[in-house]
Amino acid sequence: MGAARRVLILEAAQRVFARDGLAQASLRAIAREAGCTTGAIYPWFGSKEALYAALLETSLDRLREHLAQTLAQAQDATAARTVAGAFYDYYAQRPAELSLGFYLFQGLAPRGLGAELDRGLNTRLTLCVTLLGHGLARTRPGCDVVLERMQMFTYLSGLLLLLHTGRLKSLAQNAETLLDAHCRNLETLP
Protein backbone atom coordinates (compact mmCIF):
# COMPACT_ATOMS: atom_id res chain seq x y z
CA MET A 1 0.00 0.00 0.00
CA GLY A 2 2.83 2.41 0.83
CA ALA A 3 4.46 2.24 -2.62
CA ALA A 4 1.07 2.77 -4.27
CA ARG A 5 0.48 5.83 -2.07
CA ARG A 6 3.88 7.23 -3.08
CA VAL A 7 2.98 6.81 -6.77
CA LEU A 8 -0.37 8.57 -6.23
CA ILE A 9 1.40 11.44 -4.49
CA LEU A 10 3.94 11.77 -7.33
CA GLU A 11 1.21 11.70 -9.98
CA ALA A 12 -0.77 14.34 -8.09
CA ALA A 13 2.34 16.46 -7.65
CA GLN A 14 3.04 16.26 -11.39
CA ARG A 15 -0.43 17.65 -12.11
CA VAL A 16 -0.20 20.39 -9.47
CA PHE A 17 3.28 21.50 -10.58
CA ALA A 18 2.17 21.55 -14.22
CA ARG A 19 -0.88 23.62 -13.31
CA ASP A 20 0.55 25.93 -10.63
CA GLY A 21 4.33 25.86 -10.98
CA LEU A 22 6.72 25.16 -8.14
CA ALA A 23 6.40 28.57 -6.49
CA GLN A 24 2.59 28.50 -6.27
CA ALA A 25 2.19 24.79 -5.52
CA SER A 26 1.67 23.69 -1.94
CA LEU A 27 1.78 20.37 -0.14
CA ARG A 28 -1.83 20.98 0.80
CA ALA A 29 -2.83 21.26 -2.88
CA ILE A 30 -0.82 18.14 -3.73
CA ALA A 31 -2.44 16.21 -0.87
CA ARG A 32 -5.90 17.33 -1.99
CA GLU A 33 -5.11 16.25 -5.57
CA ALA A 34 -3.84 12.87 -4.29
CA GLY A 35 -6.87 12.35 -2.06
CA CYS A 36 -4.84 12.22 1.15
CA THR A 37 -3.69 14.46 3.97
CA THR A 38 -0.45 16.42 4.05
CA GLY A 39 0.61 14.11 6.87
CA ALA A 40 0.54 11.21 4.38
CA ILE A 41 3.11 13.02 2.20
CA TYR A 42 5.76 13.68 4.86
CA PRO A 43 6.94 10.07 5.30
CA TRP A 44 7.90 10.12 1.62
CA PHE A 45 8.80 13.74 0.94
CA GLY A 46 9.85 16.37 3.44
CA SER A 47 9.00 19.33 1.22
CA LYS A 48 7.48 20.29 -2.09
CA GLU A 49 11.03 20.80 -3.39
CA ALA A 50 11.85 17.19 -2.53
CA LEU A 51 8.72 16.09 -4.39
CA TYR A 52 9.68 18.21 -7.39
CA ALA A 53 13.21 16.80 -7.33
CA ALA A 54 11.85 13.23 -7.19
CA LEU A 55 9.78 13.86 -10.32
CA LEU A 56 12.74 15.38 -12.15
CA GLU A 57 15.08 12.58 -10.98
CA THR A 58 12.68 9.96 -12.34
CA SER A 59 12.45 11.79 -15.64
CA LEU A 60 16.23 12.07 -15.98
CA ASP A 61 16.69 8.40 -15.05
CA ARG A 62 14.19 7.36 -17.73
CA LEU A 63 15.94 9.61 -20.26
CA ARG A 64 19.34 8.14 -19.39
CA GLU A 65 18.04 4.59 -19.78
CA HIS A 66 16.38 5.48 -23.10
CA LEU A 67 19.60 7.05 -24.40
CA ALA A 68 21.75 4.13 -23.23
CA GLN A 69 19.46 1.57 -24.90
CA THR A 70 19.35 3.57 -28.10
CA LEU A 71 23.10 4.07 -28.16
CA ALA A 72 23.75 0.36 -27.55
CA GLN A 73 21.91 -0.44 -30.79
CA ALA A 74 23.38 2.39 -32.89
CA GLN A 75 25.93 1.98 -35.65
CA ASP A 76 29.14 3.95 -35.01
CA ALA A 77 28.78 6.05 -38.17
CA THR A 78 25.37 7.35 -37.08
CA ALA A 79 25.65 7.07 -33.28
CA ALA A 80 25.66 10.85 -32.76
CA ARG A 81 22.56 11.34 -34.89
CA THR A 82 20.82 8.36 -33.29
CA VAL A 83 21.41 9.43 -29.68
CA ALA A 84 20.60 13.08 -30.45
CA GLY A 85 17.37 11.99 -32.14
CA ALA A 86 16.51 9.82 -29.14
CA PHE A 87 17.04 12.78 -26.78
CA TYR A 88 14.91 15.05 -28.96
CA ASP A 89 12.13 12.49 -29.43
CA TYR A 90 12.02 11.70 -25.71
CA TYR A 91 11.24 15.28 -24.77
CA ALA A 92 9.22 16.06 -27.90
CA GLN A 93 6.77 13.41 -26.68
CA ARG A 94 6.94 14.46 -23.01
CA PRO A 95 6.55 18.24 -22.76
CA ALA A 96 5.58 18.04 -19.06
CA GLU A 97 8.92 16.38 -18.25
CA LEU A 98 10.86 18.97 -20.24
CA SER A 99 8.94 21.68 -18.42
CA LEU A 100 10.09 20.27 -15.06
CA GLY A 101 13.71 21.04 -15.93
CA PHE A 102 13.10 24.33 -17.68
CA TYR A 103 10.98 25.64 -14.81
CA LEU A 104 14.11 25.85 -12.69
CA PHE A 105 15.36 28.60 -15.02
CA GLN A 106 13.37 31.78 -14.74
CA GLY A 107 15.11 34.54 -16.56
CA LEU A 108 18.71 35.09 -15.55
CA ALA A 109 18.14 33.99 -11.97
CA PRO A 110 17.82 30.21 -11.98
CA ARG A 111 15.84 28.65 -9.15
CA GLY A 112 17.36 25.95 -7.06
CA LEU A 113 15.90 23.21 -4.94
CA GLY A 114 18.69 23.29 -2.38
CA ALA A 115 22.34 22.29 -2.66
CA GLU A 116 21.83 18.55 -2.08
CA LEU A 117 18.85 18.15 -4.43
CA ASP A 118 20.52 20.34 -7.07
CA ARG A 119 23.69 18.25 -6.87
CA GLY A 120 21.77 15.01 -7.38
CA LEU A 121 19.82 16.41 -10.31
CA ASN A 122 22.96 17.84 -11.92
CA THR A 123 24.63 14.44 -11.63
CA ARG A 124 21.72 12.78 -13.39
CA LEU A 125 21.67 15.39 -16.14
CA THR A 126 25.44 15.03 -16.60
CA LEU A 127 24.99 11.29 -17.14
CA CYS A 128 22.50 12.01 -19.93
CA VAL A 129 24.76 14.61 -21.57
CA THR A 130 27.68 12.17 -21.29
CA LEU A 131 25.70 9.68 -23.39
CA LEU A 132 25.39 12.34 -26.09
CA GLY A 133 29.19 12.56 -25.92
CA HIS A 134 29.54 8.79 -26.30
CA GLY A 135 27.51 8.97 -29.51
CA LEU A 136 29.67 11.82 -30.79
CA ALA A 137 32.88 9.95 -29.94
CA ARG A 138 31.70 6.86 -31.81
CA THR A 139 30.77 8.88 -34.89
CA ARG A 140 33.81 11.16 -34.79
CA PRO A 141 36.69 9.53 -32.92
CA GLY A 142 39.14 12.14 -31.71
CA CYS A 143 36.64 15.00 -31.54
CA ASP A 144 36.55 17.30 -28.51
CA VAL A 145 33.76 15.35 -26.81
CA VAL A 146 33.45 17.64 -23.79
CA LEU A 147 32.85 20.71 -25.93
CA GLU A 148 30.74 19.06 -28.60
CA ARG A 149 28.44 17.21 -26.20
CA MET A 150 27.59 20.53 -24.51
CA GLN A 151 27.00 22.10 -27.90
CA MET A 152 24.71 19.21 -28.80
CA PHE A 153 22.86 19.48 -25.49
CA THR A 154 22.30 23.23 -25.84
CA TYR A 155 21.25 22.81 -29.48
CA LEU A 156 18.71 20.12 -28.53
CA SER A 157 17.44 22.17 -25.60
CA GLY A 158 16.92 25.15 -27.86
CA LEU A 159 15.05 23.11 -30.49
CA LEU A 160 12.82 21.58 -27.83
CA LEU A 161 12.12 24.98 -26.31
CA LEU A 162 11.10 26.28 -29.73
CA LEU A 163 8.96 23.21 -30.36
CA HIS A 164 7.00 23.34 -27.11
CA THR A 165 6.61 27.10 -26.80
CA GLY A 166 5.63 27.63 -30.43
CA ARG A 167 8.12 30.51 -30.60
CA LEU A 168 9.67 31.18 -33.96
CA LYS A 169 7.12 28.89 -35.53
CA SER A 170 8.99 28.45 -38.78
CA LEU A 171 11.96 27.01 -36.87
CA ALA A 172 9.85 24.94 -34.48
CA GLN A 173 7.96 23.35 -37.36
CA ASN A 174 11.24 22.30 -38.91
CA ALA A 175 13.02 21.28 -35.71
CA GLU A 176 13.44 17.66 -36.75
CA THR A 177 14.82 18.69 -40.13
CA LEU A 178 17.23 21.10 -38.45
CA LEU A 179 18.35 18.40 -36.02
CA ASP A 180 18.93 15.92 -38.82
CA ALA A 181 20.94 18.48 -40.85
CA HIS A 182 23.01 19.37 -37.78
CA CYS A 183 23.80 15.70 -37.11
CA ARG A 184 24.64 14.99 -40.75
CA ASN A 185 27.03 17.94 -40.61
CA LEU A 186 28.66 16.41 -37.52
CA GLU A 187 29.18 13.17 -39.39
CA THR A 188 31.08 14.87 -42.19
CA LEU A 189 33.39 17.00 -40.06
CA PRO A 190 36.98 15.81 -39.79
Side-chain angles (χ1 to χ4, degrees):
M1 178 65 176
R5 171 67 53 101
R6 184 179 190 277
V7 170
L8 287 174
I9 292 167
L10 285 168
E11 289 172 349
Q14 177 83 36
R15 291 188 298 273
V16 171
F17 289 135
R19 181 185 68 225
D20 301 341
L22 177 61
Q24 299 304 314
S26 68
L27 286 179
R28 184 174 294 135
I30 293 167
R32 188 172 36 254
E33 185 77 21
C36 66
T37 65
T38 54
I41 294 176
Y42 285 112
W44 298 104
F45 308 99
S47 66
K48 70 178 180 181
E49 290 80 11
L51 247 168
Y52 197 89
L55 288 169
L56 192 48
E57 285 172 358
T58 299
S59 173
L60 290 169
D61 288 345
R62 279 194 302 255
L63 172 64
R64 182 185 41 76
E65 186 171 318
H66 176 67
L67 295 177
Q69 288 175 355
T70 301
L71 195 54
Q73 298 171 0
Q75 301 294 318
D76 286 349
T78 59
R81 182 183 337 166
T82 302
V83 73
F87 185 101
Y88 178 86
D89 291 342
Y90 182 88
Y91 281 126
Q93 296 169 17
R94 295 168 182 84
E97 289 187 37
L98 181 68
S99 182
L100 281 172
F102 275 137
Y103 182 81
L104 296 178
F105 294 92
Q106 294 187 353
L108 297 178
R111 301 179 60 96
L113 298 174
E116 185 177 334
L117 293 174
D118 288 346
R119 195 171 19 265
L121 292 170
N122 287 337
T123 297
R124 283 177 162 80
L125 180 58
T126 298
L127 292 171
C128 295
V129 174
T130 297
L131 289 168
L132 292 174
H134 291 327
L136 287 161
R138 285 178 49 193
T139 299
R140 295 188 42 233
C143 71
D144 183 350
V145 173
V146 174
L147 174 64
E148 291 193 28
R149 73 183 183 198
M150 285 309 297
Q151 289 174 340
M152 177 65 78
F153 172 70
T154 56
Y155 186 79
L156 289 165
S157 297
L159 286 178
L160 287 160
L161 185 63
L162 292 173
L163 173 72
H164 290 302
T165 61
R167 304 283 186 212
L168 301 173
K169 290 184 185 194
S170 63
L171 287 177
Q173 290 169 348
N174 297 313
E176 291 177 31
T177 303
L178 290 169
L179 176 59
D180 189 56
H182 179 74
C183 289
R184 284 184 193 278
N185 187 40
L186 283 173
E187 293 166 2
T188 61
L189 291 173

